[in-house]
Amino acid sequence: MPPNGRPLRIGCGAGYSNDRIEPAVELVERGDLDYIVFECLAERTIALAQQAKARDPQAGFDPLLRLRMEAVLASCHERGVTLITNMGAANPHAAAGCVRDVARRAGLTGLTVAVVTGDDVTTMVSGGPYRSIEADEPFDPGSVVSANAYLGADPIVEAIARGADVVITGRVADPSLFVAPILTAFGWAADDWPRVGQATLAGHLLECAGQVTGGYFADPGVKDVPDIHRLGFPLAEITAGGDIVVTKVSGSGGVVNTATCTEQLLYEVHDPAAYVTPDVVADFSRVTMEADGPDRVRVCGADGRPRPEMLKVSVGQHDGWIGEGQISYGGPGAVGRARLAAEVVAGRLALVGLAATDVRYDLIGLDALHGGVSRPVGEPYEVRLRVAARVKTEADAWRVAREVESLYTNGPAGGGGASTTVKPVLAMRSTLLPRSAVTWRVDCESV
């Protein structure tokens, strides 16, 4: 329970891997927090981290972990703020070692770092009878890069109970990072489904950081956001009765209102009446919001049903290569010359018999986002051609890229600023595992 029975205060210090660091510092120093959560693990991020770990056994965690810890760890320790993060990615133990090193260099003592593992089920999925949900086909063991199950709040609850000041996880469902401290603070049972649903609502509203304080909301002249260049990150006040107030540090940039909260409530939720997480099947269909003062929104009304017996698993797979080339055309007739250039590349790829599963010819600034739906007004004075093709081999990918670059001297006229890129395709698919097949573990070490 927070001191003096006051509301629990949880802040979100990051909503994705490369998020800003300064707003998290502001939250720790001025937010009067009990907990700060760094949610940094998107679907592809952990697969990329597994590849990094394969190259270096001491890598595979979030690249900004050290910078973030150097920025906030001492302040968290001084103020008694517990830090929870999934920045461990594919290598939580190495991440914890990095945190302990930052602590030692800062002269911090009495700091307990907990590591949550068990989400890595790569061996199980690549060698088992599991099938891709999207394609309804078995996984090719040779193509599987990573397979990570979405753990819930349970291991984090244990870590906090064991006195952790910092909790480092791999794949944990985003709202679960927030559910754990809420359950712990108020002693709510993990099977008190309505309350777990309300805790999940709090986590879902906070998990993307600056989105709920006006970042992704901003649309000038339609939805104006003040001082967006110094956007503040959100925090929530949660009472023992389950009421939630979403707010931000006073004086920080951005805005919190019922519109920003409503947009975030619907973000990535396919069915508001059945939002499935490892902790609960949350029901947001009767959620209400009301202003509670400047940059304060009171949210309540979430419900919940028993958690699923199957856990979602994100599976990263090798799936070919992408070859890309770009070149710019400017001046009168720029669009016509760019279109001719696209025809030249298409003819060349057909001439050499290059097999591609997908090819795109985009005029950036004209039709790159919406294709034929675009209706530009007037003739652009400059345009950039982008050609990208998905192929099976790296050699074919380079062939695509070089065909664009060769437009320099093989026409049409006036091309410049060519660039080429070749990269492997890391496809993300999903499967389900029985909850009983996934065993998590919590290890603690003190500095």
Side-chain angles (χ1 to χ4, degrees):
M1 183 72 70
N4 304 318
R6 66 165 174 77
L8 179 73
R9 293 172 66 88
I10 304 176
C12 184
Y16 79 105
S17 179
N18 288 324
D19 213 341
R20 297 170 183 165
I21 295 177
E22 293 82 1
V25 175
E26 180 179 55
L27 269 176
V28 173
E29 294 182 349
R30 298 182 52 215
D32 191 23
L33 301 180
D34 300 293
Y35 292 88
I36 187 166
V37 174
F38 292 84
E39 196 293 287
C40 298
L41 206 53
E43 281 68 20
R44 291 182 73 252
T45 313
I46 200 163
L48 295 170
Q50 289 282 21
Q51 292 180 319
K53 183 181 177 182
R55 294 189 296 268
D56 177 1
Q58 294 305 310
F61 55 87
D62 192 284
L64 290 182
L65 175 68
R66 181 174 290 275
L67 284 176
R68 285 200 170 99
M69 294 302 102
E70 289 174 344
V72 304
L73 188 60
S75 293
C76 284
H77 192 50
E78 176 186 348
R79 292 167 171 79
V81 179
T82 301
L83 191 155
I84 300 171
T85 182
N86 55 14
M87 282 190 281
N91 204 345
H93 278 290
C98 176
V99 173
R100 292 193 299 271
D101 182 65
V102 171
R104 283 190 290 266
R105 291 173 182 269
L108 305 181
T109 58
L111 188 79
T112 298
V113 181
V115 179
V116 173
T117 53
D119 61 293
D120 189 341
V121 292
T122 306
T123 302
M124 192 183 310
V125 169
S126 61
Y130 304 102
R131 301 176 71 85
S132 160
I133 293 173
E134 294 82 2
D136 190 24
E137 61 185 18
F139 295 101
D140 175 8
S143 72
V144 174
V145 175
S146 65
N148 293 80
Y150 283 80
L151 302 181
D154 291 348
I156 303 174
V157 169
E158 178 176 316
I160 296 170
R162 291 172 61 178
D165 302 291
V166 178
V167 183
I168 305 286
T169 79
R171 171 62 70 203
V172 169
D174 298 353
S176 300
L177 298 165
F178 301 85
V179 170
I182 297 172
L183 299 189
T184 300
F186 302 120
W188 292 351
D191 60 356
D192 186 341
W193 308 121
R195 281 178 164 168
V196 178
Q198 186 74 357
T200 299
L201 171 62
H204 179 65
L205 290 171
L206 292 178
E207 66 188 38
C208 294
Q211 284 192 183
V212 80
T213 53
Y216 204 67
F217 174 84
D219 189 355
V222 180
K223 297 180 295 182
D224 292 316
V225 175
D227 298 326
I228 193 172
H229 64 285
R230 55 184 188 88
L231 190 71
F233 283 177
L235 64 95
E237 302 170 355
I238 303 105
T239 69
D243 283 351
I244 302 164
V245 171
V246 180
T247 184
K248 63 185 183 69
V249 173
S250 177
S252 62
V255 64
V256 177
N257 58 34
T258 56
T260 67
C261 291
T262 300
E263 285 195 8
Q264 180 59 31
L265 175 69
L266 298 175
Y267 176 73
E268 291 185 338
V269 175
H270 293 162
D271 182 354
Y275 179 45
V276 182
T277 81
D279 303 310
V280 68
V281 178
D283 182 354
F284 297 160
S285 63
R286 292 182 294 277
V287 166
T288 61
M289 299 181 184
E290 61 178 1
D292 190 53
D295 292 313
R296 292 175 62 85
V297 174
R298 186 172 298 277
V299 188
C300 60
D303 203 345
R305 301 189 297 277
R307 66 189 188 181
E309 288 306 313
M310 305 293 283
L311 295 179
K312 180 182 175 182
V313 178
S314 282
V315 183
Q317 290 184 281
H318 291 297
D319 198 12
W321 294 78
I322 290 179
E324 178 183 316
Q326 295 187 22
I327 190 167
S328 295
Y329 293 89
V335 173
R337 283 179 284 125
R339 285 183 171 145
L340 175 58
E343 293 172 9
V344 170
V345 175
R348 289 290 303 166
L349 296 182
L351 186 66
V352 301
L354 186 135
T357 56
D358 189 25
V359 185
R360 287 187 61 104
Y361 300 91
D362 297 323
L363 300 186
I364 297 174
L366 186 70
D367 62 10
L369 292 181
H370 301 291
V373 177
S374 302
R375 293 180 175 84
V377 178
E379 176 80 358
Y381 194 75
E382 58 186 47
V383 69
R384 187 162 178 83
L385 170 67
R386 172 184 180 266
V387 179
R390 185 168 175 170
V391 294
K392 290 184 177 180
T393 68
E394 185 178 9
D396 280 349
W398 276 115
R399 185 62 190 261
V400 174
R402 284 195 294 267
E403 284 296 348
V404 177
E405 186 178 46
S406 72
L407 295 169
Y408 264 140
T409 55
N410 292 283
S419 63
T420 57
T421 304
V422 166
K423 59 185 178 183
V425 176
L426 187 60
M428 297 306 300
R429 295 186 172 89
S430 306
T431 193
L432 297 173
L433 287 183
R435 182 181 295 272
S436 59
V438 180
T439 303
W440 51 262
R441 175 187 173 100
V442 177
D443 295 295
C444 294
E445 187 169 334
S446 296
V447 178

